[in-house]
Amino acid sequence: MKQLHSNIDVTDDQFKARIDSYSDLINKYYSAMNSVTHRDQEPTVIRHLKRGKLDVRRRIELLTDENTPFLELSPLAAYDQYDNQFPSAGIITGIGRIHGKSCMIIANDATVKGGTYISETVKKHLRGQEIALKNHLPCVYIVDSGGIFLPEQARIFPDRDGFGRIFYNQSQMSASAIPQISIVMGSCTAGGAYVPAMSDETIIVKNQGTIFIGGPPLVKAATGEEVTAEELGGALVHTGISGVADHLAENEIDAIRICRNIFELIPPVDSQVLNMQNIEEPIYNSSDLYGIAPIDLKKSVDIYEIIARIVDGSKFEEFKRDYGTTLITGYSRILGFPVGILANNGFLTSEAALKGAHFIEICNFRKIPLLFLQNISGFIVGKKYEHEGIARNGAKLIHAVATAVVPKITVIIGGSFGAGNYAMAGRAYNPDFLFMWPNSRIAVMGGQQAQDVLNSIKSTTSESSLNLEQRFEEEGSAYFSTSRIWDDGIIDPANTRIVVGLAISIASNTRSASPKSGIYRM
């Protein structure tokens, strides 16, 4: 492959100034992350630890293999909502390794409102199951939850993707022969009782874990019977009388040991065989990305400079280099994995759309995972382009993206606007993973553009138009997106290469389907 050459002078004062400017964004990002991951001094956490229970992230650390990465998903879910009373939406989800096998871990955080579920908690739980189902990942549920957060019940109980969808997904995963193990480390109340009841095997901690459809207060209200939590649904009841649980653990450490022992006998899946090579570090420093990342989306960014700092050896073999140049396509490697890259270099034109569709079809047949690097304001507009059939040609790219059978990883590195979001594997097109940089923005259009459109049709006052622009600016931020789980998390640009490599590894856990058609030269 051809090695990319950088035209950036990293010693230049203007470049250093851009890095300094980006440091404010990075500092904000890590401050937000610390607010949800380092909560040792919060009263609820202190009480939790005093009861002899482990912090939820410590539980995951002990469960997974030593010195292996854990790809946490949506750590900033519910951020800047609910007065920030639900850090990480009260649940930790992510992919780690147990006895060398990749698995999805979904763990309640009882220090957040007793581990109860709000809308974002449900959405995050379902997203974890979706990834596990798609990639045939064994699933471990670390259960410590009071069920639905009652003040929010109308938003999460009755709809299609509400709380009940969790158990529907468990049934679908079971039918697909995906192992599911529950470790009951605290309360399993009401509908939440079905999580361990529907798992293949359930471990429950003595004098700590409980499982019941209705807790003692509800039992008393309904029947007048007075009963303790242990008598009603404690570990001894469910391992010795009801049979709801299968393994009695003396404590949390013992429960984790039992779970790890179970994983020893879980067979590996038939994963996709990729043409791997030795890992090469990029020849350019990943921290340079702070000075390259697009902050002012009105200014163009040389996408080759970004690719050079993400891929192995900074090597990139371009496809159709001189055609449809607003979309860069080509082959490379990330952490030794082969990858086909589609990266924006301006508006999507008819030529760019046809080029992208052609490239995706080739990658489908060669079983090469796809990486979409989004920095797109949309498709080009105007009379000339409409007459040339931009809608038809754009539809070909969208169709190719939607029907691709290989893993799709999307990273929004700048803007993600309008139909450009769709054509570059936005959330609606089921990428296996979608991540955002702190500077990125996502919306149907920019705030100023929205104001101009409404002003042109004279449908708003100047005051309401200004409010709309401010609203678009707020709702377009990466933090607004990640809080609502429109992505799988904001990442540090310097970590993009590692995160993408992990994502490709996970998304290749099962074999890709056969392409639905041949390769059509567009």
Side-chain angles (χ1 to χ4, degrees):
M1 293 184 187
K2 181 181 177 182
Q3 192 170 75
L4 294 173
H5 174 72
S6 176
N7 294 313
I8 291 176
D9 180 3
V10 295
T11 65
D12 178 72
D13 288 341
Q14 288 187 345
F15 184 77
K16 290 179 179 179
R18 288 197 295 273
I19 289 180
D20 289 341
S21 177
Y22 202 87
S23 66
D24 293 336
L25 290 172
I26 286 296
N27 290 339
K28 177 184 177 182
Y29 165 67
Y30 280 110
S31 175
M33 288 291 289
N34 285 334
S35 73
V36 300
T37 58
H38 294 83
R39 302 172 45 240
D40 298 351
Q41 300 307 310
E42 293 184 17
T44 56
V45 176
I46 293 171
R47 286 196 298 271
H48 180 86
L49 298 176
K50 282 184 176 178
R51 295 188 185 111
K53 301 176 81 173
L54 296 171
D55 173 78
V56 63
R57 285 186 171 82
R58 178 59 177 159
R59 289 169 173 172
I60 293 172
E61 182 183 345
L62 293 172
L63 179 63
T64 53
D65 295 346
E66 284 189 71
N67 301 317
T68 59
F70 176 70
L71 181 60
E72 185 172 347
L73 305 172
S74 301
L76 293 176
Y79 181 74
D80 267 351
Q81 297 188 76
Y82 311 96
D83 296 322
N84 280 319
Q85 293 182 43
F86 286 87
S88 297
I91 194 168
I92 309 303
T93 61
I95 301 98
R97 286 186 172 271
I98 302 177
H99 283 292
K101 304 175 182 83
S102 292
C103 67
M104 173 62 67
I105 299 173
I106 299 175
N108 299 118
D109 187 348
T111 70
V112 180
K113 302 292 184 182
T116 52
Y117 281 65
I118 54 174
S119 177
E120 287 74 16
T121 321
V122 173
K123 193 172 182 181
K124 191 170 171 179
H125 191 132
L126 295 180
R127 175 62 179 152
Q129 289 180 313
E130 176 188 356
I131 292 170
L133 185 58
K134 185 174 183 179
N135 297 292
H136 209 95
L137 296 172
C139 195
V140 177
Y141 304 100
I142 301 179
V143 192
D144 198 345
S145 168
I148 291 173
F149 184 64
L150 295 180
E152 292 288 314
Q153 68 88 21
R155 296 182 62 209
I156 61 175
F157 173 66
D159 207 353
R160 175 188 178 276
D161 289 323
F163 194 69
R165 193 73 177 186
I166 292 170
F167 319 120
Y168 172 88
N169 284 351
Q170 283 190 265
S171 299
Q172 296 298 319
M173 292 165 70
S174 181
S176 298
I178 297 173
Q180 298 175 83
I181 312 298
S182 279
I183 309 176
V184 181
M185 291 187 169
S187 177
C188 268
T189 306
Y194 290 110
V195 172
M198 298 182 72
S199 295
D200 299 4
E201 295 187 60
T202 293
I203 305 155
I204 188 168
V205 178
K206 187 177 179 181
N207 298 321
Q208 183 172 309
T210 55
I211 304 171
F212 30 63
I213 299 299
L218 183 59
V219 169
K220 184 176 181 181
T223 68
E225 179 184 8
E226 293 192 9
V227 62
T228 67
E230 278 297 318
E231 292 170 335
L232 182 64
L236 296 178
V237 168
H238 286 309
T239 55
I241 300 174
S242 74
V244 170
D246 309 295
H247 305 274
L248 178 65
E250 291 296 320
N251 51 47
E252 294 192 13
I253 301 295
D254 190 37
I256 290 168
R257 177 192 62 79
I258 294 170
C259 184
R260 286 186 56 82
N261 287 347
I262 291 170
F263 260 80
E264 280 195 79
L265 296 179
I266 290 178
V269 298
D270 186 18
S271 59
Q272 180 66 45
V273 178
L274 296 175
N275 177 20
M276 297 288 294
Q277 288 190 5
N278 292 333
I279 298 172
E280 288 185 72
E281 291 298 316
I283 63 174
Y284 302 107
N285 198 320
S286 62
S287 63
D288 294 346
L289 292 170
Y290 301 148
I292 304 170
I295 298 176
D296 183 350
L297 299 182
K298 296 177 183 178
K299 296 181 179 179
S300 62
V301 172
D302 187 347
I303 192 64
Y304 294 102
E305 297 287 357
I306 291 176
I307 294 172
R309 288 158 177 82
I310 293 175
V311 301
D312 285 11
S314 301
K315 295 174 183 176
F316 181 65
E317 191 64 37
E318 194 162 358
F319 174 77
K320 283 185 180 289
R321 184 192 63 183
D322 300 320
Y323 179 79
T325 56
T326 60
L327 180 67
I328 305 305
T329 56
Y331 309 100
S332 193
R333 291 184 179 276
I334 294 179
L335 299 189
F337 293 103
V339 63
I341 297 176
L342 296 93
N344 298 120
N345 206 32
F347 280 105
L348 281 170
T349 62
S350 284
E351 294 82 3
L354 295 175
K355 168 182 171 178
H358 185 182
F359 182 69
I360 289 170
E361 289 186 338
I362 292 173
C363 289
N364 270 339
F365 273 89
R366 297 179 186 174
K367 304 299 184 186
I368 299 174
L370 295 168
L371 171 62
F372 294 82
L373 298 177
Q374 277 201 28
N375 181 27
I376 180 67
S377 54
F379 284 87
I380 198 164
V381 297
K383 179 179 176 180
K384 174 181 182 291
Y385 306 105
E386 295 296 349
H387 287 192
E388 290 175 351
I390 183 69
R392 178 189 64 242
N393 294 324
K396 292 177 181 177
L397 175 58
I398 288 173
H399 180 82
V401 171
T403 59
V405 296
V406 294
K408 298 181 298 212
I409 315 299
T410 302
V411 181
I412 302 178
I413 63 174
S416 178
F417 296 108
N421 169 276
Y422 305 152
M424 291 295 292
R427 192 65 140 181
Y429 288 77
N430 282 341
D432 292 74
F433 294 94
L434 188 153
F435 301 101
M436 300 182 76
W437 284 2
N439 56 286
S440 60
R441 304 191 64 79
I442 180 170
V444 68
M445 62 181 69
Q448 180 64 54
Q449 288 79 7
Q451 178 182 325
D452 292 344
V453 168
L454 291 177
N455 285 344
S456 70
I457 59 177
K458 300 179 180 177
S459 64
T460 60
T461 64
S462 59
E463 181 179 352
S464 63
S465 181
L466 179 61
N467 289 338
L468 182 68
E469 181 179 1
Q470 292 172 341
R471 180 178 166 187
F472 264 64
E473 290 304 306
E474 175 189 342
E475 294 178 355
S477 81
Y479 293 93
F480 192 93
S481 168
T482 206
S483 177
R484 288 152 184 81
I485 318 177
W486 298 346
D487 54 62
D488 293 309
I490 300 174
I491 61 173
D492 183 334
N495 293 335
T496 302
R497 168 180 165 75
I498 302 299
V499 171
V500 169
L502 287 172
I504 292 173
S505 173
I506 294 159
S508 301
N509 198 57
T510 54
R511 289 188 175 275
S512 299
S514 297
K516 298 176 177 63
S517 63
I519 298 174
Y520 297 108
R521 291 191 61 89
M522 298 295 171

